[in-house]
Amino acid sequence: MHIGLIGLGKMGSNMRTRLRAHDIEVTGYDRNPDVRDVASLADLAKALPTPRIVWVMVPSGEITTSVITDLAAELDKGDIIIDGGNSRFTEDFTHAAQVAEKGIEFVDAGVSGGVWGLKNGYGLMVGGHKKNIDILMPIFDALRPEGPRDEGFVHVGEVGSGHYAKMVHNGIEYALMQAYAEGYELLEKRDDIIKDVTGTFKAWQRGTVVRSWLLELLVRALEEDPEFKDIEGYVEDSGEGRWTIEEALANAVPVPTISASIFARFVSRQPEGSPAMKAVAALRNQFGGHSVKAVD
């Protein structure tokens, strides 16, 4: 199988490497000439066998819309576009209708795994017609973690459902990170009683009900910088948490924990900061390679 991949940043380049390691031929395009395989979208289209499959892995919003618009101009009826970025699910409806005018198929894929996906595989949540998902399964199988397919991949439903599931996933992620971070701050505060904060979290990694990959990453971050002296407690949000709350409001679903985790990130952007938000910043850096603000 041979696919095109647009966007060769942290995740895109790792995905290309993983796909190639699983015998999927990949031709990549990026604005950075140092990482791309072809110089233009037109060259990408020419390099791919028909019907073409192109995975778009660029930042959500205007950039995704621009890339899909330009890409559709180079593709033909029966080709498939996969949006694997963090697009809002409502944008999928627009993009699918847009490319359908040329008979181009559209699939949305929520992708989780961050910078660790190359080694561990990526959790995949996809939306689209079953006929397209069946065609794309060798790609999804190459990207997902080893083990049972249904523990790392789900065909959620029609177009938009993949990104909807990823949106809720990220909302939950926000809340989990905040809970670990607040626990860290309380342990760190009572240094008269707690003599080994890092060791306490490490001891929770096996057997306890709070064990998780996020906990493992927090331990990793603490071992690198036990007091987070080199990190400011400033935490961005990439959008999915806000969208989750907006959907909850629209559907009268209470999400107080997720809401609180978003508001905590807003607090982190105030001058005072907090130890808990340093922990959240460190966690985002660990799993996603998201940048942190260094202490002056």
Side-chain angles (χ1 to χ4, degrees):
M1 186 171 245
H2 186 177
I3 75 165
L5 179 60
I6 300 174
L8 299 170
K10 294 173 186 174
M11 285 187 69
S13 60
N14 281 347
M15 289 170 62
R16 176 174 63 175
T17 301
R18 185 173 176 88
L19 286 166
R20 287 174 173 173
H22 286 75
D23 299 321
I24 304 291
E25 187 173 352
V26 182
T27 299
Y29 170 74
D30 193 277
R31 289 181 298 178
N32 180 357
D34 295 332
V35 299
R36 66 193 184 195
D37 302 313
V38 291
S40 67
L41 293 180
D43 290 341
L44 177 65
K46 291 176 184 176
L48 299 175
T50 56
R52 304 175 185 88
I53 299 170
V54 184
W55 189 303
V56 178
M57 203 69 188
V58 299
S60 62
E62 293 182 5
I63 296 177
T64 295
T65 297
S66 176
V67 168
I68 289 175
T69 299
D70 294 343
L71 175 62
E74 304 294 339
L75 300 184
D76 300 308
K77 182 178 180 179
D79 294 343
I80 302 174
I81 295 175
I82 309 164
D83 178 7
N86 282 330
S87 294
R88 186 166 185 164
F89 74 98
T90 50
E91 295 174 355
D92 296 325
F93 306 146
T94 301
H95 295 152
Q98 174 188 351
V99 302
E101 295 179 0
K102 287 192 63 177
I104 299 168
E105 303 289 335
F106 185 87
V107 169
D108 61 290
V111 182
S112 181
V115 295
W116 293 88
L118 172 59
K119 176 183 177 182
N120 298 336
Y122 301 89
L124 301 172
M125 300 141 269
V126 304
H129 296 308
K130 185 178 184 302
K131 65 174 184 178
N132 294 327
I133 306 306
D134 290 343
I135 292 170
L136 300 171
M137 276 313 305
I139 298 168
F140 298 140
D141 279 339
L143 289 172
R144 67 175 177 83
E146 303 296 330
R149 177 185 286 172
D150 61 1
E151 293 183 6
F153 167 87
V154 59
H155 178 199
V156 188
E158 296 300 314
V159 167
S161 63
H163 280 144
Y164 195 101
K166 179 58 163 47
M167 173 189 72
V168 176
H169 166 281
N170 280 29
I172 294 169
E173 175 191 293
Y174 279 38
L176 291 173
M177 292 169 66
Q178 188 63 30
Y180 283 130
E182 291 173 5
Y184 161 77
E185 181 167 2
L186 185 56
L187 289 170
E188 189 262 349
K189 187 77 171 180
R190 289 306 308 268
D191 58 2
D192 58 324
I193 299 174
I194 303 299
K195 303 302 182 183
D196 188 354
V197 174
T198 301
T200 300
F201 278 104
K202 194 167 187 176
W204 294 349
Q205 289 182 274
R206 297 182 184 274
T208 76
V209 296
V210 298
R211 64 188 185 276
S212 73
W213 186 43
L214 279 175
L215 178 61
E216 293 176 20
L217 293 175
L218 180 56
V219 170
R220 179 186 174 93
L222 284 166
E223 289 178 337
E224 293 175 357
D225 183 4
E227 297 178 3
F228 300 131
K229 291 181 178 179
D230 298 327
I231 298 175
E232 279 195 14
Y234 182 100
V235 184
E236 290 285 3
D237 64 285
S238 54
E240 294 92 335
R242 298 186 189 211
W243 302 338
T244 302
I245 294 172
E246 290 171 8
E247 274 296 294
L249 289 169
N251 292 279
V253 175
V255 289
T257 307
I258 295 174
S259 300
S261 70
I262 294 291
F263 295 137
R265 293 193 178 196
F266 297 163
V267 171
S268 82
R269 298 167 202 174
Q270 297 173 357
E272 299 82 10
S274 76
M277 298 319 296
K278 287 189 175 188
V280 173
L283 268 171
R284 293 181 81 242
N285 178 257
Q286 284 290 328
F287 73 75
H290 299 290
S291 60
V292 296
K293 292 187 70 173
V295 173
D296 291 335

